[in-house]
Amino acid sequence: MTDPNLLAGRYRLLERRDRAGTTWRSRDELLQRDVTITGIPLPPPGPHRDGLLGRIRAAADFRHPNVIALHDVVSLPDRVWLILESVEGRSVLQTVRAEGPLTSERAAEVGLRVLDAQTSAHERGVRLLAGPESVLLTPDGRVVVTGFAIFDATDELRDLGAVLFTAVEGQAPGTGPHTGPRPADGTAPGNAGGSGPASGGTGAAGSGPLAPLLEGLLAADPARRPDATTARTILRGLTPRPAGSRRTRPLLVAATLTLLVGGGTAFWLLWPRPSAQPQDTAPVPLPTFFAKAPDPCSLISGEQAGRLYLAPSPSRDKTACEWPPADNTAPGSLRNALEITVVREPKAALAHATYLRLRSRDVKDSRTVSAPADVPGLGDEAYAYQLDNGLSSVNSVVVLRTGNVVTALQYHRFTVPDTGGRGRAGALQAARWAVDSLRGRR
């Protein structure tokens, strides 16, 4: 009598992993090893079946340390059973639900492994499903993509964005209906071994160092998404490196603003990660008088420029200094620059009057979408606001006074509104760096 739980006389089905019974925890009794078995329904004979079988053969020939191995295929008249490597671990989604969000550094490491797997698979004609539920984190630190896109095409970079978002935010992006491919596990027909992103809608792109990259990867318009090379560069900048090596943290936020003196120009800035001062060291007092105007190009260090993903050499223009993008070949949403303008008055009272005049001007500016608001603890006095630059985007401005010097920092989120206030937060961080640089000067 045939054993109904023994497939092909070799693979014993032990436990269902989905309600529909298409995925099983199993045992290869010939080789004495655990395997996972997934059933894929076959379309009628013809081009669709031939194409599906061709994709399965390509997946069977593909090997990568970060992709589940397809050991064997059992073909029946109405379906094929894929015999897959058994990997012990929890998905990214299960991990964050159990332990909370990953650090940005660990998330970037996971993202790099997923991106490497996607790139290698794509070169071999294999498409992966790398969603929050189909990327496993093993106890020994391995990152494993467990899904193959057998039926439907998948947007791989959007999948990567969903994995990264889930890792750092603790939940899958968006709440709208699913628009990407789904697994052959009973939820919907079409793919093997895992699921794609949890949702087609993305919602906000989260917060923290990866937020601007996520905003690009999860953008509904494919033209606004960064390419794989750009994503890899950004992720590498966030991953831990050996002690003594230089490390940059590219945080992306963009900017165009009206200059403190003269007209405005378009440029972009990467949003910096907040840096904390040692709590046991009192800050050096700010000067009350500057005998000469501080050099605006000296207010951001080379290390900070790297963290802002800017070119190390700024250009000078009288009272202003501009840092161009680190990579002019990157997509527009990922190119960034920074401009700082400094004006020195003979007396602090005159600088205060200049500061008030600028604030009054900005209050009355018809382009202002967020009225100037005080920023306590930033120099002697400071305000920040946002305005519409007429290009379907929002500009952020910080103006501050220290003694007899007024400083303006300007940048522009180039493609989208300032979702979640990240543009404002980035401007304030850059302003804090500038104020810290002014300490101890005369």
Side-chain angles (χ1 to χ4, degrees), residues 378-399:
L378 192 59
D380 296 322
E381 52 190 342
Y383 69 89
Y385 74 102
Q386 293 182 315
L387 57 84
D388 185 343
N389 75 339
L391 298 174
S392 300
S393 55
V394 175
N395 295 343
S396 300
V397 183
V398 177
V399 179

Side-chain angles (χ1 to χ4, degrees), residues 94 100 168 175 178 251 284 309:
Q94 290 171 331
V168 296
T175 56
H178 195 290
L251 284 186
V284 177
Y309 202 55

Side-chain angles (χ1 to χ4, degrees), residues 53-118:
L53 294 176
R55 287 188 285 274
I56 290 176
R57 283 191 289 270
D61 291 338
F62 177 67
R63 289 292 183 271
H64 190 280
N66 299 113
V67 179
I68 194 169
L70 176 53
H71 294 316
D72 193 8
V73 177
V74 175
S75 180
L76 299 178
D78 63 339
R79 69 181 53 230
V80 291
W81 291 92
L82 308 185
I83 316 303
L84 299 158
E85 172 190 8
S86 178
V87 179
E88 293 300 322
R90 292 189 295 196
S91 70
V92 170
L93 186 59
Q94 290 171 331
T95 299
V96 298
R97 285 176 174 172
E99 303 175 8
L102 306 184
T103 64
S104 297
E105 290 83 356
R106 175 55 177 156
E109 288 181 313
V110 171
L112 275 176
R113 301 289 78 77
V114 171
L115 184 56
D116 287 346
Q118 289 175 326

Side-chain angles (χ1 to χ4, degrees), residues 160-316:
L160 174 64
V163 171
L164 290 170
F165 183 101
T166 303
V168 296
E169 295 299 318
Q171 61 183 1
T175 56
H178 195 290
T179 59
R182 286 187 181 270
D185 62 358
T187 56
N191 299 286
S195 67
S199 168
T202 64
S207 59
L210 283 167
L213 174 60
L214 294 180
E215 192 165 299
L217 291 174
L218 296 173
D221 181 2
R224 286 177 47 204
R225 296 176 199 158
D227 59 18
T229 299
T230 300
R232 181 176 287 105
T233 299
I234 294 169
L235 291 172
R236 282 177 176 167
L238 288 169
T239 55
R241 298 185 181 181
S245 65
R246 183 172 180 177
R247 179 176 173 184
T248 59
R249 297 177 180 273
L251 284 186
L252 317 174
V253 175
T256 292
L257 301 172
T258 304
L259 296 178
L260 181 65
V261 179
T265 56
F267 50 89
W268 297 263
L269 155 72
L270 288 171
W271 177 31
R273 185 179 193 174
S275 60
Q277 285 188 323
Q279 298 300 310
D280 57 352
T281 302
V284 177
L286 283 167
T288 58
F289 180 80
F290 292 84
K292 63 179 182 178
D295 179 2
C297 294
S298 69
L299 298 184
I300 299 294
S301 71
E303 186 273 337
Q304 289 165 341
R307 291 174 63 182
L308 294 172
Y309 202 55
L310 304 170
S313 301
S315 60
R316 192 184 308 274

Side-chain angles (χ1 to χ4, degrees), residues 286 290 293-305 308 314 316 319-321 323 338-343 400 402 405-409 429-439 441:
L286 283 167
F290 292 84
D295 179 2
C297 294
S298 69
L299 298 184
I300 299 294
S301 71
E303 186 273 337
Q304 289 165 341
L308 294 172
R316 192 184 308 274
T319 60
C321 195
W323 286 260
L338 169 65
E339 180 165 336
I340 300 178
T341 302
V342 171
V343 172
L400 62 95
T402 304
V405 166
V406 178
T407 304
L409 297 95
Q429 178 63 79
R432 292 186 190 102
W433 282 343
V435 169
D436 287 342
S437 182
L438 292 173
R439 297 184 187 278
R441 299 192 187 190

